[in-house]
Amino acid sequence: MWRCFPPSRLQCGGRCIFRDKGRIPWKEGVTITLRKKLILAFTVLIVLLGSWIGYFSYQDAKNIVYANKKSEMADTINRIDIDINTWVLQIVRLAENTSQNQAVLELLEDGGVTALQRNYIDEWFHNFAQVFVAVSDIHIIDSDGGIRYSYVPFEGYVDEGRLDACTQAAAARPDRETWLGIGRPLCRESGEDVVTMVRAFNPGQAERSDGILVIELNPDVFSSLLLSNHSMFPNQYTLIVDRNGDIISTNKKVEHTWLNEIENMFGKGIRKFELHWEGKDYYVCGQYNGVTGWKTFSIVSLNDFFPQASELRRAVFTMVAAAVLLAAVVILLISYTFTRPIGRLMTAMKEIEKGDFKIQVVNKSRDEIGRLTQSFNFMVSKIDQLVKEVYQEKIAQKNAELEALQAQINPHFLYNTLDSINWMLMDIGADDISDVVVSLGDILKYSIHGKDVLVLLDEEIQYIESYLCIQKNRLEERLKTSIDIQDKARACMVPKLILQPMVENAILHGVEPMKEGGEVCITARLEQDDLFVTIEDNGPGMDQEELKRCRAAVYCETGTTDSIGMRNVHRRLRLHFGERYGMTIESGPRGGTAVVLRMPGNRRWREQEQDLNGHSDCG
């Protein structure tokens, strides 16, 4: 709601200095600008998104590498198992051919061999040893446990425990070869352990075998044959374990306790698993060989799975940091583009707070901010125009007040003169003329005394009664009046001098045209929260065309001079109380005319009257 201020609050040139209580109470303290908020919000968002994308990209790459490495380990184990079967098949064929060799069978039957037989058997096994270089020694043992032949010259020493193990193994499985795993050589007191295979001669054709073929293999050479042709990780452990849990071949030495932990997991049917040992995580892949009963294990530290992980992390971090930095620069530029016009608007608003209403913000954009700037410029121009109008209105009001003060001299002089005439008329007994003079004096007194905008309806009725007294002396018996005011309605507040134009109109157009005269009735009543004051005459009234013209003259801004008083009353009511209040006119041919004034009837207008009276200098 716009409020006017005294001229002392206005400056020339259309500028206005607002009261301190009208300023916006900005909260003191640290404030974050919109630009900083945009930069902070978008930077945090980019950092979070970049970190999220970088982290999951690294994890996906790591999982892919791990899956490939695990698959590669499984393929390596499969190839090793195939090589085991290949070399074992060669040894089995050697054993089968040897069991059918006539010279070997004669050796077992005769108990001794000739030099020629010895050379033939040596040549036989030598050819095989040339093909299978892992062969360390070959023995032929008769049914009584005697050593009939050794590929390496026999020195007379026999490991009885190893011999019993070979005999028992052949007896337990006479129809096929048996692998005893790693152990001491059969006929050498010193030397490294060997891997031993045992096969009985003439299986299934007699109650006991004719003899036993024992082939001993060098574990190191055997390991090189099985493991050297396969790609390995830098720190990969690959080992072959026999049925007893002893390591047959390995590329690196392994602690026995560690091997027990691995075999326990493998014994539970788990072929691929992760193992935590001495602060490190390992991945174990195992496979069982059904021909030999051996188990092949491949063990790799998880850290060795992806040695380039640290480099990948650095690369991802560098890319994320570069992306965030680039995004921050872009966000900085975008936020500057967005907030620059808002900053110009804020600067212009600060100038307006200082009273400069001539400022205009440069606007080159056509987006929402551009439209806002355009509306701001229009609003400032409109405010500047209104301030100028208010200033000019205040000047005119002060001039009018000055003229009114000067004009009060004549009414006061006339009122004093009428008072003197009244005393003179009373002295000579002219009471009728004295009543008219008294009524005229009351009218002048009511008009020139007081600056109240709103008055009691009772005071307005007293003024009308004085006015009707003068009109009755003029029209005599032709004018009849009737005033009916509810007691509650008399305490309502109404605009001053609101009824006189209506009463004057009723007498002028309703009573005077009639030869026999007429009657003017004034009633006031309260309905709900509204006050209705009716001024009605029983004059000739108006037809529809005349009523239409009369209403147009009263309700429109422009009209004939005959209806200016009624139009002013209607406008005053609407300005004081709002659009729902004002004047209504009803009339018909030979039906008289009724004018109804609608005003608020509650007591809250007393407080408004006090407020208006306290700020009457504002107009």
Side-chain angles (χ1 to χ4, degrees), residues 477-502:
E477 298 299 328
R478 294 178 60 201
L479 175 61
K480 295 179 181 180
T481 61
S482 173
I483 299 177
D484 183 14
I485 308 297
Q486 286 184 350
D487 292 338
K488 294 187 295 183
R490 291 182 179 274
C492 294
M493 305 299 293
V494 299
K496 190 176 181 180
L497 299 174
I498 201 72
L499 300 180
Q500 188 271 336
M502 307 298 103

Side-chain angles (χ1 to χ4, degrees), residues 262-273 286 288 295:
I262 294 173
E263 285 208 283
N264 288 335
M265 294 294 294
F266 193 83
K268 297 177 182 179
I270 304 174
R271 297 295 185 260
K272 300 175 183 179
F273 54 89
Y288 178 81
K295 297 179 286 292

Side-chain angles (χ1 to χ4, degrees), residues 488 492 526 528-531 581 599-605:
K488 294 187 295 183
C492 294
L526 282 171
Q528 295 181 353
D529 290 335
D530 289 340
L531 171 65
Y581 299 102
M599 295 167 281
N602 49 35
R603 298 299 180 91
R604 61 190 175 91
W605 294 104

Side-chain angles (χ1 to χ4, degrees), residues 443-502:
I443 291 175
L444 291 174
K445 183 179 179 180
Y446 183 76
S447 300
I448 66 177
H449 283 82
K451 297 182 179 180
D452 295 342
V453 177
L454 300 177
V455 296
L456 292 174
L457 178 60
D458 188 57
E459 297 178 6
E460 187 71 9
I461 294 299
Q462 293 178 13
Y463 167 75
I464 291 301
E465 289 175 346
S466 299
Y467 176 76
L468 289 175
C469 179
I470 296 174
Q471 294 295 337
K472 283 183 179 181
N473 278 276
R474 185 175 68 87
L475 298 175
E476 298 180 349
E477 298 299 328
R478 294 178 60 201
L479 175 61
K480 295 179 181 180
T481 61
S482 173
I483 299 177
D484 183 14
I485 308 297
Q486 286 184 350
D487 292 338
K488 294 187 295 183
R490 291 182 179 274
C492 294
M493 305 299 293
V494 299
K496 190 176 181 180
L497 299 174
I498 201 72
L499 300 180
Q500 188 271 336
M502 307 298 103

Side-chain angles (χ1 to χ4, degrees), residues 383-575:
I383 291 175
D384 185 54
Q385 178 184 351
L386 293 175
V387 168
K388 289 180 180 179
E389 292 177 358
V390 170
Y391 176 73
Q392 294 172 358
E393 183 180 349
K394 294 303 294 183
I395 295 298
Q397 178 184 348
K398 285 302 178 181
N399 293 333
E401 290 178 357
L402 181 59
E403 292 175 358
L405 290 174
Q406 294 173 352
Q408 283 184 2
I409 298 175
N410 293 332
H412 275 289
F413 174 75
L414 180 59
Y415 176 75
N416 293 332
T417 303
L418 290 174
D419 188 59
S420 298
I421 294 173
N422 179 50
W423 285 105
M424 292 172 63
L425 292 171
M426 291 177 65
D427 288 341
I428 64 175
D431 294 335
D432 293 339
I433 301 175
S434 176
D435 290 341
V436 174
V437 172
V438 171
S439 297
L440 182 58
D442 290 340
I443 291 175
L444 291 174
K445 183 179 179 180
Y446 183 76
S447 300
I448 66 177
H449 283 82
K451 297 182 179 180
D452 295 342
V453 177
L454 300 177
V455 296
L456 292 174
L457 178 60
D458 188 57
E459 297 178 6
E460 187 71 9
I461 294 299
Q462 293 178 13
Y463 167 75
I464 291 301
E465 289 175 346
S466 299
Y467 176 76
L468 289 175
C469 179
I470 296 174
Q471 294 295 337
K472 283 183 179 181
N473 278 276
R474 185 175 68 87
L475 298 175
E476 298 180 349
E477 298 299 328
R478 294 178 60 201
L479 175 61
K480 295 179 181 180
T481 61
S482 173
I483 299 177
D484 183 14
I485 308 297
Q486 286 184 350
D487 292 338
K488 294 187 295 183
R490 291 182 179 274
C492 294
M493 305 299 293
V494 299
K496 190 176 181 180
L497 299 174
I498 201 72
L499 300 180
Q500 188 271 336
M502 307 298 103
V503 176
E504 180 181 358
N505 232 28
I507 294 173
L508 181 62
H509 299 287
V511 176
E512 289 188 4
M514 301 175 65
K515 292 181 179 182
E516 67 278 7
E519 183 179 4
V520 176
C521 297
I522 302 174
T523 60
R525 67 189 185 279
L526 282 171
E527 293 184 3
Q528 295 181 353
D529 290 335
D530 289 340
L531 171 65
F532 293 89
V533 180
T534 304
I535 301 93
E536 185 177 4
D537 65 75
N538 59 352
M542 296 177 283
D543 58 22
Q544 292 300 317
E545 290 297 328
E546 291 177 330
L547 180 60
K548 185 176 181 181
R549 287 195 299 270
C550 181
R551 287 175 176 173
V554 171
Y555 299 149
C556 297
E557 294 295 328
T558 60
T560 62
T561 56
D562 296 337
S563 60
I564 188 172
M566 297 178 66
R567 184 170 68 250
N568 287 340
V569 170
H570 179 67
R571 291 183 62 192
R572 287 175 64 192
L573 290 176
R574 293 171 71 89
L575 288 173

Side-chain angles (χ1 to χ4, degrees), residues 52-71:
W52 183 78
I53 293 173
Y55 173 77
F56 284 101
S57 298
Y58 169 76
Q59 290 296 329
D60 288 343
K62 182 178 178 181
N63 293 335
I64 292 173
V65 172
Y66 273 34
N68 291 336
K69 295 299 183 181
K70 290 178 181 179
S71 177

